[in-house]
Amino acid sequence: MRLRDFLFTLLLLTVFLGGGSWAQHCPVDLFFVLDTSESVALRVKPFGDLVAQVKDFTNRFIDKLTNRYYRCDRNLVWNAGALHYSDEVVLIKSLTSMPSGRNELKNRVSAVNYIGKGTYTDCAIKRGIEELLISGSHHKENKYLIVVTDGHPLEGYKEPCGGLDDAANEAKHLGIKVFSVAISPNHLDQRLNIIATDHAYRRNFTATSLKPTRELDVEETINTIIDMIVSACCSFECQVSQAFENPCPLPSYPHGPRLCLGD
């Protein structure tokens, strides 16, 4: 028994103090939940333009999911997937590793046609949760949903999968963090706040914009979300490392979580 305990401790020290390549990897599972309902597709003319912007946002985001070494002694590796929904949920692609699966995922996102009809966001979030749990890494603390929606519903709206509160609570219970990204900037919808894990995961994230600043708005949203994920990954690994007396100090980040800057 003592020999087994000794070997187990030795293995942990080897992994977490950098003796093995496993310790240096921080796998992140990221799943996009895209609203292509009628309230999005038919909001502005030409019809479908906002859906096209949502697809562009998603593909620009995917392009930034590159394996990269950070000064906190962690190499982030990404798995990404996506679905879109209205009153039905359509899987675009299950979680796949980046960058090897990037082109196929982007091509499938680009091929999406909007569905129209209702907005069953609760069903879509629960399907996204399922996809995160059945594939990807075993690191539950590194699983994220990015829900892009206008937050509708109208009066008489039905939520056949338990309701938005139930879906959001399920994600929190499982430790899955949920970013709530509005279809347009400055969209103050209570349902977007319900979707997000907390206010830090909502902010003024936007996937589209009709303003001249669209490129900047979307770029800021993507960069901020990635920075938050990197920060969370580095912070978690730093806590583990410090437990083995191998501190990896992180710089302070004045506008949000601590950020581990890349080289």
Side-chain angles (χ1 to χ4, degrees):
M1 180 67 73
R2 289 183 179 179
L3 178 60
R4 187 182 68 178
D5 292 342
F6 172 77
L7 292 175
F8 179 70
T9 302
L10 182 62
L11 174 62
L12 288 178
L13 287 170
T14 301
V15 167
F16 289 113
L17 296 182
S21 59
W22 177 40
Q24 298 173 2
H25 289 297
C26 182
V28 177
D29 298 332
L30 194 64
F31 202 85
F32 296 89
V33 176
L34 310 176
D35 184 347
T36 58
S37 65
E38 186 174 90
S39 60
V40 175
L42 305 182
R43 177 182 293 185
V44 300
K45 293 183 179 180
F47 295 146
D49 182 63
L50 289 182
V51 173
Q53 289 190 47
V54 167
K55 294 192 293 184
D56 178 67
F57 162 83
T58 306
N59 281 341
R60 288 171 63 178
F61 204 124
I62 293 168
D63 277 334
K64 289 182 176 284
L65 302 181
T66 57
N67 296 348
R68 183 180 177 190
Y69 177 78
Y70 289 83
R71 291 177 185 168
C72 59
D73 197 28
R74 291 294 169 260
N75 182 40
L76 261 70
V77 292
W78 302 87
N79 300 306
L83 63 79
H84 71 113
Y85 73 97
S86 64
D87 56 358
E88 62 179 303
V89 176
V90 178
L91 180 65
I92 298 172
K93 185 77 171 68
S94 296
L95 283 175
T96 185
S97 61
M98 303 287 110
S100 59
R102 174 180 293 120
N103 288 338
E104 182 182 3
L105 178 57
K106 288 179 60 181
N107 289 339
R108 292 196 182 194
V109 169
S110 297
V112 165
N113 291 316
Y114 70 83
I115 303 173
K117 303 181 181 179
T119 313
Y120 291 174
T121 305
D122 58 336
C123 298
I125 290 176
K126 289 191 174 184
R127 177 61 185 276
I129 291 172
E130 179 183 335
E131 291 294 326
L132 284 173
L133 294 179
I134 63 177
S135 57
S137 77
H138 65 280
H139 291 249
K140 292 191 293 184
E141 68 280 353
N142 292 340
K143 292 183 179 290
Y144 297 86
L145 285 177
I146 297 181
V147 181
V148 183
T149 180
D150 60 357
H152 266 264
L154 303 173
E155 287 188 21
Y157 176 80
K158 296 180 180 179
E159 294 181 313
C161 296
L164 197 59
D165 286 283
D166 185 64
N169 288 334
E170 181 176 334
K172 290 178 182 178
H173 176 73
L174 293 169
I176 295 171
K177 275 77 75 176
V178 184
F179 290 95
S180 181
V181 179
I183 293 295
S184 55
N186 301 310
H187 190 135
L188 302 176
D189 190 294
Q190 180 60 29
R191 289 173 61 82
L192 292 170
N193 295 329
I194 293 173
I195 291 168
T197 297
D198 59 40
H199 70 278
Y201 289 80
R202 170 64 191 99
R203 304 192 190 185
N204 193 31
F205 296 139
T206 182
T208 79
S209 177
L210 300 178
K211 302 187 303 183
T213 58
R214 174 182 177 247
E215 294 295 321
L216 293 176
D217 293 338
V218 171
E219 190 74 7
E220 182 178 2
T221 290
I222 295 172
N223 289 338
T224 301
I225 291 176
I226 289 178
D227 284 351
M228 289 178 65
I229 293 173
V230 170
S231 175
C233 184
C234 285
S235 295
F236 175 78
E237 298 294 349
C238 187
Q239 292 169 11
V240 173
S241 182
Q242 286 174 336
F244 287 91
E245 298 182 353
N246 182 34
C248 53
L250 297 174
S252 62
Y253 185 46
H255 303 298
R258 296 186 302 169
L259 176 63
C260 239
L261 300 176
D263 287 336

